[in-house]
Every structure is written in C-alpha cells, then in structure tokens.
Amino acid sequence: MSQSVLQDGKIFIGKSTKPEYLELRFANRHGLITGATGTGKTVTLQGVAEGFSAAGVPVFAADIKGDLSGLAAVGEPKDFLVKRAEEVGLDSDWKQQAFPTIFWDVFGKEGHPIRATVLDMGPLLLSRMLELNEVQEGVLNIAFRVAADEKIPILDLKDLRSIISNVAERSKELVAKYGNVATTSVGAIQRRLLVLEEQGADQFFGEPSLDINDFMRIAPDGRGVVSILAADKLMEKPRLYTTFLLWMLTKLWQTLPEAGDLPKPKLVFFFDEAHLLFNEAPKALLERIEQIARLIRSKGVGVYFITQSPLDVPNSVSAQLGNRVQHALRAFTPQEQKAVRAAAETFRKNPDLDTERVIMELKVGEALVSMLENKGEPSMVQRTLIRPPEGRVGPVSADERQSVIEYSPVYGKYEQTVDRESAHEILTKRANQATEEAGAGGGGWGDIIFGGGSSGGAKGKGGRPSQGMGEMIGKDLQRSISRTIATTIKNIIVKSITGRSR
C-alpha cells in the first residue's frame, strides 16, 4: 500500500504489520520518544516535526546536539534513506525538501535572542526557580508588591537586585503595610540571584521580551513554522534551561484561551534531553511541570519529551503522555534492566510480541510504537520501521544558519537590547537626590563635628538649632563633672554628721 507523509488528518510514523499514524486530533495529549544513544530518536523527532509542519501546525524544538537544524535544509537522497522510504511504502509524495524554520538562542549567537522580563517571570516562578523557602518567598513577593504599588518596572536582574536592596533598607517603614523583611532572607535571595547570573540569566532577562505569537507562525505556503532553539550551550546551564522552558509553557498557558479538543493542535513542543528538566529538580518545580503538562492540553498545545529512558520522566508527568515511541534500550546493569521492564509495562500489550525482549533487539531506525486511536485509547504496541525525514539528516553549516537567520520574518525585532529606565535607574536616582539634599542641609564636616552655631543653620525638633558633635561632647562632659562634684560634697556632709563615710 502506498503511503504519504500526511493524509486524512494523520501523520505517517512508519510501518509495522500496518501503517502507524499519529492522529492530529490526539496530538495535544502529549507524547514520549525514548531510546539509547544512537538508536534513531533524533530522526524520529525530525520526522514527526516535519509531519506537524506539513499539517500547518507550528513546532518548537529544543535542539541539544544541533542535528535538528537540518530541518531548514533540503535533504540528500542517500541510499539508506531511499531504501527506507521504499520499505515503509512511501510514494512520490516523499521528497527532499526544506521546512520553514526560525532559529532562536537565549545567548543570541546561534539564532534570534530570546528574552523575558523579570516581571513576566513573576515572583511565584522565580521562587520555584531559586528554591526559596516560605520566608524568602514572602520577601520576594513584598519586593514585587512594592514595585507595583510605586510603579517601578522590574525588567532585568539588576532591577530585581535594586528593589530587593531598597526594600531591605526601608524595612522599618514597610513593615506595617507589607510585613517583616528579614535581613537574612534578603541575603539568601541575593546569593541565589548571583548563582543564576553566573549561569547566564542576565542575558535572558531584559527587553525586548519575546512575543509568544512568534512561536505560532504559519508560512505563506500554509506549513507551520518550526522554531528551533539552539540549546547546546544552554544545556550546560541546567537551571537556566529548566527556567526558560517552564516559563514558555507557563506563558502559553496564561496567554492562550481555552480551546478543548481541536482537529489539530495550535502548537507542539519537543523537549530533547528531557532528563535535564527533572534531574535534581525541587519538588515544587516538578509539581509546576506536572500542572502545566496536565492543563496546557486544553489550550491546544502538545508537549513531547525526548530522553533515553522512560524512568527519566517522573510518574506524575509520564501519566500525561499518551503517544509513545520506544527505540532500543541496552540492559547490562540491574538499573538498565529495570528501565527495560518499565518501558515494556507502559505499552498496551500485544499478544504477538514479547515487548521486553523486542526492546533490546530493535535495530537502528526501528521502534515500538503506540499511538492514541479511536476514542483516545492507546493502540496495541507494534514493532515499527520509522519513516525517513525529508529535510537534511544532520546539522546545517554556519553560513546556512546565518542565511536562515537573516531571511527570518523576525530578523531585527529582537537583536538589539533595550535598556529603558526601570527599577535600577529609578532607585539610583532617588538615592542620589537624597544624598544631595542631605549635603545641602548642613555645612559639611565642620558643622557635623563642632556644630553650626549660627541662626541660619539646620534646625532640629521644635525649631532648635542642630548640635554638632563637639558641642554634644562638651555638654556631656559638663554634666559628668557636675555629677562627680555633687557626689563628693554629699559624702563630706554625711561624714561630718555621722562620723563615718558611706
């Protein structure tokens, strides 16, 4: 039977005893692609992403190794790809072609910069990201509330540092309205911000902030635009990587209206090396990821995790993933054997397959596939030969990447950093004005030490002239001598009357 990459609202995944499809109407039920290194996960990811693009669905993919950039280039008719196409029954619709692509990079080197303001991130997500305790989170919320009440924008990390320091300095003034600001908590927050800054977060926080609609573009030919995040360097900053991805999902969840079940999703995310999202993540952060994965489906957004083992994904998140592709796993250790058993148990059983054994026998380009079908139930697992992609298998060159960036529909929109007046500048200006006013009110160090002495000097309470340090010392000395003399006279009088000293 002849197949095409896209037909009847379904993406062709590959061929088992029958064609295997991912139905677009169930694509927002999320998915999981797993397998050992070198078993073909990236090629599967690329093929599925191409299918979504062909169906007019925008795609966002985090590219850890750089291989996904090949989507932007015309594929090469290599012998093994042509052979694979014939084996799975692809007809003349399968051809080498490039897909509409936009490259992004948090650091602005391999794509358009991605930025968000601290205010966009919000105190709740920042608290989770910084792993703050309840008291520290309270101080951070006070800082955001003070900034909102006083109309002070918090855009980047230096703004956040400034407003937190300002709140600490004004703690006695603010305690009645906002609550106590503990100095130890302020110090802890500043230290956590320093760690985040060392990971490059200062490049992420700022303006112009990302317009999330730029991830949801449709090309003039009707295909969905594939947004590829260059994440090779971002991967080395796991806290920043997690923060960025979680912020994007949260932003979508807060921005998009409820959509329910649609004929096809509005947007699909692919998160490669998903274990980075979950390794050593605090409980609060895991709960947030689980919440987003569960709720964002109703916004018409699908989320697909790509990692080596199903055990890399927490059970609470894994339970939300309905479409599954499992490439080969190796089992040389007890832990790896446990992973194989866990992978086998996640599938709906096929009486004709020993799933656990097959997982270890799969060849490169083969996978166990189970997709949602009919009324949303998972199909029986099938040993499947995955179809070849149409874009290039492998990365684009630096020149090709630069060309794609320069011809991008968002070129020039995010390249130039904007540093408008915000919390740091406003609070610095206030501090300078206060210093100038204090200096203008006195006659310098001479007045501070020896006192003003003139009727035109600074006034204290009740309109009295303010005293200098020398004047205050003189008066204290005079009082001390007077007390000593009085005590001596008293002792002499008592001795003369009683005949003894006291």
Side-chain angles (χ1 to χ4, degrees):
M1 177 181 177
S2 179
Q3 302 295 329
S4 60
V5 172
L6 183 70
Q7 60 181 36
D8 300 327
K10 298 182 290 187
I11 298 171
F12 179 52
I13 300 296
K15 185 179 179 182
S16 60
T17 56
K18 59 180 178 56
E20 298 293 331
Y21 297 101
L22 169 57
E23 295 195 37
L24 290 170
R25 64 193 178 108
F26 293 133
N28 65 335
R29 306 291 177 90
H30 311 319
L32 181 66
I33 300 174
T34 52
T37 301
T39 56
K41 296 192 302 295
T42 302
V43 172
T44 299
L45 188 165
Q46 182 173 337
V48 176
E50 289 177 357
F52 279 120
S53 176
V57 177
V59 172
F60 176 92
D63 187 12
I64 299 295
K65 301 180 289 291
D67 293 347
L68 280 179
S69 62
L71 274 161
V74 177
E76 301 173 11
K78 296 180 179 179
D79 292 342
F80 75 94
L81 294 175
V82 174
K83 181 180 178 182
R84 178 85 61 83
E86 293 174 352
E87 289 175 338
V88 299
L90 282 171
D91 59 18
S92 58
D93 285 346
W94 182 79
K95 58 186 179 296
Q96 286 71 48
Q97 61 175 323
F99 287 79
T101 304
I102 298 177
F103 289 119
W104 302 90
D105 183 3
V106 168
F107 303 110
K109 298 185 183 301
E110 302 292 324
H112 306 291
I114 296 181
R115 300 183 191 90
T117 65
V118 172
L119 192 59
D120 276 344
M121 185 70 68
L124 180 62
L125 197 53
L126 272 172
S127 297
R128 300 295 182 267
M129 176 182 65
L130 297 172
E131 298 181 46
L132 303 183
N133 61 33
E134 187 176 348
V135 177
Q136 294 160 356
E137 184 177 348
V139 172
L140 189 64
N141 274 282
I142 289 173
F144 271 80
R145 183 60 183 271
V146 169
D149 289 348
E150 298 182 5
K151 294 180 172 53
I152 302 174
I154 311 176
L155 304 180
D156 52 28
L157 286 185
K158 69 178 186 296
D159 289 337
L160 184 57
R161 286 186 176 280
S162 295
I163 192 66
I164 290 173
S165 297
N166 180 263
V167 165
E169 292 167 2
R170 300 164 56 195
S171 57
K172 292 182 180 179
E173 169 196 339
L174 300 172
V175 65
K177 183 175 181 181
Y178 299 100
N180 186 45
V181 178
T183 306
T184 52
S185 294
V186 170
I189 294 171
Q190 296 286 30
R191 288 193 296 273
R192 300 288 175 84
L193 288 175
L194 182 62
V195 172
L196 198 63
E197 197 170 356
E198 288 297 314
Q199 290 204 3
D202 55 328
Q203 298 180 62
F204 172 59
F205 289 107
E207 289 187 313
S209 58
L210 176 73
D211 179 357
I212 206 72
N213 291 312
D214 283 331
F215 284 164
M216 305 178 69
R217 288 179 171 269
I218 303 296
D221 61 3
R223 292 184 295 173
V225 173
V226 182
S227 292
I228 297 180
L229 174 70
D232 50 340
K233 294 182 177 62
L234 190 60
M235 178 185 175
E236 299 169 5
K237 320 285 186 182
R239 181 62 58 81
L240 183 58
Y241 180 59
T242 301
T243 300
F244 166 71
L245 296 181
L246 190 55
W247 166 77
M248 275 200 308
L249 290 175
T250 303
K251 186 76 171 175
L252 282 165
W253 179 43
Q254 294 172 344
T255 303
L256 296 177
E258 288 288 328
D261 291 324
L262 300 172
K264 62 183 180 182
K266 294 180 179 179
L267 176 66
V268 171
F269 277 89
F270 289 95
F271 293 151
D272 201 2
E273 301 295 341
H275 66 278
L276 293 176
L277 290 172
F278 308 111
N279 281 358
E280 300 179 3
K283 182 180 179 182
L285 193 58
L286 288 176
E287 289 174 352
R288 185 67 168 170
I289 295 173
E290 177 192 351
Q291 180 190 41
I292 294 297
R294 185 173 64 252
L295 298 178
I296 205 169
R297 178 190 68 80
S298 64
K299 307 283 187 172
V301 177
V303 180
Y304 289 72
F305 297 101
I306 297 89
T307 189
Q308 293 200 7
S309 167
L311 296 179
D312 293 338
V313 181
N315 290 334
S316 57
V317 177
S318 183
Q320 310 297 325
L321 312 179
N323 301 294
R324 293 175 178 260
V325 177
Q326 175 66 61
H327 287 271
L329 289 175
R330 311 299 177 221
F332 301 110
T333 67
Q335 182 66 22
E336 290 170 340
Q337 292 168 3
K338 180 181 177 182
V340 170
R341 285 194 297 274
E345 290 169 359
T346 60
F347 290 107
R348 178 183 168 187
K349 290 184 178 180
N350 183 340
D352 297 329
L353 286 180
D354 181 347
T355 308
E356 189 173 333
R357 177 180 58 80
V358 171
I359 288 176
M360 294 185 288
E361 295 177 349
L362 291 169
K363 300 174 183 177
V364 175
E366 283 188 315
L368 290 174
V369 172
S370 175
M371 298 290 163
L372 298 180
E373 61 181 5
N374 298 327
K375 295 183 178 181
E377 69 269 20
S379 63
M380 278 196 306
V381 62
Q382 297 286 354
R383 184 170 183 167
T384 305
L385 186 62
I386 303 298
R387 77 164 182 86
E390 297 178 320
R392 180 184 299 173
V393 177
V396 295
S397 67
D399 289 341
E400 289 173 321
R401 179 185 289 271
Q402 188 59 38
S403 178
V404 171
I405 292 171
E406 291 178 356
Y407 283 95
S408 160
V410 298
Y411 183 67
K413 184 175 180 179
Y414 299 104
E415 271 62 29
Q416 189 64 42
T417 304
V418 176
D419 189 12
R420 61 186 173 97
E421 185 178 68
S422 50
H424 178 72
E425 291 79 15
I426 292 171
L427 295 175
T428 300
K429 188 182 295 184
R430 283 186 187 178
N432 291 339
Q433 288 174 348
T435 302
E436 289 172 5
E437 290 171 3
W445 286 106
D447 283 351
I448 293 172
I449 296 174
F450 300 110
S454 66
S455 60
K459 302 291 183 180
K461 289 183 179 180
R464 293 174 295 180
S466 62
Q467 298 176 346
M469 190 180 297
E471 189 175 352
M472 288 188 290
I473 291 172
K475 288 186 177 182
D476 283 343
L477 183 60
Q478 185 179 358
R479 283 193 293 269
S480 178
I481 292 171
S482 298
R483 283 196 299 270
T484 302
I485 293 172
T487 302
T488 302
I489 293 171
K490 184 185 76 171
N491 288 338
I492 292 172
I493 293 171
V494 171
K495 183 177 181 181
S496 66
I497 295 172
T498 63
R500 60 185 178 84
S501 62
R502 285 193 178 183

